[in-house]
Amino acid sequence: MKLNQNSISRRGFLQGAAVASLAMGAGLYGCSSANGSGEDDSAPAQAAPSVWDIEELGEPAETLTADVCVVGGGGTGMAASIQAKQLGLDVLLIEKHSQLGGSFSGTEGMFAIGTQWQKDAGIELNKDDLLVKAVEFHHYVASQELYKAFFDKSASNIEWCESLGIKFAEVRAMGASDPCWHVYEGAPAPGAQFVENMIKAVEKHEIRTEFELSGKKLLTNEDGSVAGLLAARADGTVVQIDCPAVIVGTGGFSNNMGLVEELGNNPDLVAAMLDNGRTGDGIKMVKAAGGAMVSSPGTLMTGGPSVIGTSFGVSEAFACGVQPAIWLNERAQRYVREDMFERNFSYAGQSSAQQKRVLSFVNQALVDRFESGEGALVGVGTHILKGTQMPNLSRELESLIEMGIVAKGDTVEDLAAQFDLDGNALRATLDRYNEMCANGRDEDMFKPAEFMIAMEEGPYYLMDCYVSYLTTVGGVKVNPNAEVLRDDSSVIPGLYAGGCDAGGLYGDTYNVYVAPGSQAAWCIYTGRVAAEQAAAYIA
């Protein structure tokens, strides 16, 4: 099991329970002293630190030069670096970790329309119709200008990736979407295979790379154009990088819970998966240099109830928790049709994020089915397909029971008591659910009859969940050239942002319903376009 998140669970872990795989992030706020601290109470009050503050940096101990510095070695940064090198630029790629890839290994495929894959499969989609569908999905909060440029280049994105040695397995729909999701080879972990091939392409192009070096602060000329940036090595050494162009692709701010909360999310309910280094460094330094933020910068790619201590693509207990059995809130009541994870995982996440608490309920009969019977009722990405058995499920559940994350009981009343729920309310919910199963119709949430499976007998399992998100998908405002814009819509010369640092493609919800894999494709698109524009700017 693997859990990468920056905050402790709002319940058990706050009371001292331990999960070996839980990664706790350092606090973003300083501690203030009360009376008796030895401080002079008459002294002027100090302003509380802001989550947007950039740490104080010392004088540079060394200087590097390049035509363009790419900040961040994930999907966006690797794409930008390769494209820039292909265009003849002297590229310096800096990465805060000791290896490339970032969270892109968590992707499974990317959106595109008009590809040879679709033509060979006889798939005919109208790009303009899909574009309108996308901006309507986002209530016209998203930029139609960005969508048009992005969609127009999406097919060439696939071709460019293939030219680097990336292999795709198929094109298909995800849930209720149109068939425009191009899945990489390498299931059940296709993202890892994609990243491995991209790293080989970086090495083949002999791109100069500095590891364990984090971009911190942009340097500008008197006219506001980019002059370079300051970066910090793992040992604190400050490095000045002189360059006329900077491409920022640091992966968003998923692991910076201060920013997550600042931008309108509940830190007690949501938690990030994947890489733990996405602390908003790129967005913060762009904002400090005058870059504007889009109207929905705090958008999370949520995915529904996720059993605490588990991770998507790794744990069978995670897959069990999102199966269409019963999802409950703090009142032990259902709140959405539970097949929503398969139909539209973003909607599953959004509905879950509106609750105060999220839990998943199954009985032993369903566990047996998942483990050794007919298998999963619905698929979970490329990790577990519909009908796939989960042979390790009981072992994982027992481990989670020991940690206090999963409760098991012969009666629902016993179960409710273990998690401080109203036993009468839980009994009423289950009785109502079983009644509707017998009638073959979900009259409350309208879940399809095929998923209405009665749970008349125990033992029962109750899984404590958080609302997981794979990444943030909002950030600084850019134009279709990936150029960073100020509040007055003017361009900051020489500054580009891409991937999860660049906003404008979404409203308050990731649009898997319309364009599955759009964020992965957006990373490649913005990385490439930023490199093209940087080359033109430098020339």
Side-chain angles (χ1 to χ4, degrees):
M1 294 178 297
K2 176 183 177 184
L3 175 64
N4 284 319
Q5 67 180 69
N6 250 36
S7 66
I8 299 179
S9 158
R10 61 223 175 265
R11 288 181 297 281
F13 299 111
L14 286 175
Q15 299 168 0
V19 175
S21 59
L22 184 66
M24 294 175 55
L28 291 165
Y29 300 93
C31 296
S32 59
S33 299
N35 287 340
S37 66
E39 295 183 1
D40 183 358
D41 291 340
S42 65
Q46 297 295 314
S50 166
V51 293
W52 294 105
D53 288 347
I54 295 175
E55 65 196 72
E56 291 294 329
L57 299 170
E59 289 298 314
E62 57 181 300
T63 301
L64 303 174
T65 60
D67 289 334
V68 58
C69 178
V70 179
V71 186
T76 304
M78 289 191 291
S81 299
I82 295 168
Q83 184 72 85
K85 190 64 180 291
Q86 289 175 337
L87 294 171
L89 297 184
D90 176 21
V91 182
L92 173 61
L93 170 61
I94 66 173
E95 164 57 40
K96 71 190 300 181
H97 293 315
S98 60
Q99 62 184 22
L100 300 175
S103 292
F104 210 85
S105 59
T107 68
E108 298 177 306
M110 63 176 63
F111 165 84
I113 185 168
T115 66
Q116 191 61 48
W117 282 89
Q118 290 165 323
K119 294 173 184 176
D120 292 345
I123 298 169
E124 296 183 6
L125 297 173
N126 186 291
K127 182 165 55 179
D128 294 341
D129 290 345
L130 196 63
L131 187 152
V132 170
K133 188 177 179 181
V135 292
E136 286 184 345
F137 177 90
H138 294 295
H139 304 127
Y140 287 86
V141 172
S143 167
Q144 186 164 327
E145 181 185 31
L146 285 184
Y147 261 108
K148 187 176 190 311
F150 172 48
F151 277 21
D152 284 347
K153 201 163 183 173
S154 62
S156 70
N157 264 352
I158 301 295
E159 295 171 359
W160 184 77
C161 287
E162 289 178 320
S163 74
L164 299 179
I166 306 297
K167 297 184 183 300
F168 293 84
E170 61 176 332
V171 57
R172 63 181 175 92
M174 181 189 288
S177 78
D178 290 310
C180 50
W181 189 38
H182 294 68
V183 180
Y184 326 132
E185 280 191 358
Q193 184 65 57
F194 185 103
V195 166
E196 181 180 333
N197 288 329
M198 283 291 280
I199 291 174
K200 290 178 180 177
V202 168
E203 294 171 346
K204 179 180 178 180
H205 285 80
E206 299 181 339
I207 292 168
R208 185 163 45 120
T209 305
E210 290 275 347
F211 292 105
E212 297 186 334
L213 183 61
S214 303
K216 295 296 182 182
K217 185 176 182 179
L218 288 163
L219 302 174
T220 56
N221 298 305
E222 290 185 3
D223 62 358
S225 62
V226 165
L229 73 152
L230 296 179
R233 296 196 184 279
D235 63 3
T237 302
V238 177
V239 179
Q240 179 169 321
I241 302 170
D242 293 334
C243 55
V246 173
I247 300 173
V248 178
T250 63
F253 55 91
S254 293
N255 307 111
N256 186 329
M257 295 310 292
L259 279 176
V260 167
E261 183 176 14
E262 171 85 3
L263 294 169
N265 302 284
N266 180 0
D268 292 330
L269 186 62
V270 300
M273 290 189 171
L274 305 177
D275 175 50
N276 63 4
R278 298 164 295 170
T279 52
D281 294 345
I283 293 174
K284 287 165 64 176
M285 67 181 185
V286 169
K287 188 174 187 296
M293 301 287 285
V294 295
S295 57
S296 295
T299 300
L300 310 181
M301 189 191 289
T302 53
S306 303
V307 181
I308 294 170
T310 69
S311 185
F312 174 82
V314 176
S315 168
E316 292 177 1
F318 176 99
C320 178
V322 297
Q323 292 297 308
I326 298 179
W327 299 350
L328 300 166
N329 61 18
E330 69 281 358
R331 294 172 293 163
Q333 296 177 348
R334 298 173 67 207
Y335 57 87
V336 72
R337 50 186 282 186
E338 294 90 352
D339 68 319
M340 192 55 75
F341 181 84
E342 179 193 45
R343 180 173 175 77
N344 184 331
F345 70 71
S346 292
Y347 281 175
Q350 287 288 66
S351 59
S352 297
Q354 308 312 307
Q355 315 309 312
K356 298 296 183 183
R357 188 176 181 183
V358 176
L359 307 106
S360 186
F361 180 99
V362 296
N363 71 343
Q364 187 66 53
L366 274 177
V367 170
D368 293 342
R369 171 187 175 133
F370 300 153
E371 188 168 44
S372 57
E374 299 96 320
L377 289 164
V378 299
V380 182
T382 61
H383 172 54
I384 291 179
L385 304 179
K386 180 178 180 179
T388 300
Q389 292 182 347
M390 309 178 201
N392 300 309
L393 180 56
S394 289
R395 179 176 58 81
E396 286 193 23
L397 290 176
E398 286 299 323
S399 178
L400 293 168
I401 289 171
E402 292 177 6
M403 297 177 190
I405 296 167
V406 173
K408 182 179 181 180
D410 292 327
T411 68
V412 295
E413 290 77 13
D414 176 36
L415 210 60
Q418 294 183 57
F419 273 177
D420 297 323
L421 289 178
D422 185 329
N424 292 329
L426 182 57
R427 168 53 66 186
T429 295
L430 181 60
D431 288 347
R432 169 65 173 164
Y433 185 81
N434 287 335
E435 176 188 352
M436 292 188 295
C437 289
N439 294 332
R441 174 174 165 76
D442 183 355
E443 298 176 348
D444 296 341
M445 299 295 168
F446 313 108
K447 184 167 63 176
E450 64 181 294
F451 300 126
M452 294 297 290
I453 301 174
M455 289 181 273
E456 300 280 2
E457 299 180 352
Y460 301 102
Y461 295 84
L462 197 56
M463 294 168 269
D464 208 359
C465 301
Y466 57 86
V467 181
S468 67
Y469 57 95
L470 295 173
T471 187
T472 54
V473 290
V476 299
K477 183 178 284 189
V478 298
N479 63 19
N481 294 330
E483 296 171 299
V484 172
L485 303 178
R486 302 186 180 96
D487 283 324
D488 63 2
S489 295
S490 64
V491 168
I492 298 179
L495 183 57
Y496 311 87
C500 300
D501 288 342
L505 205 66
Y506 307 100
D508 62 359
T509 309
Y510 176 65
N511 67 2
V512 63
Y513 188 79
V514 179
S518 56
Q519 187 61 19
W522 173 249
C523 289
I524 303 301
Y525 163 77
T526 48
R528 293 182 62 208
V529 167
E532 292 169 350
Q533 294 304 313
Y537 172 72
I538 292 171

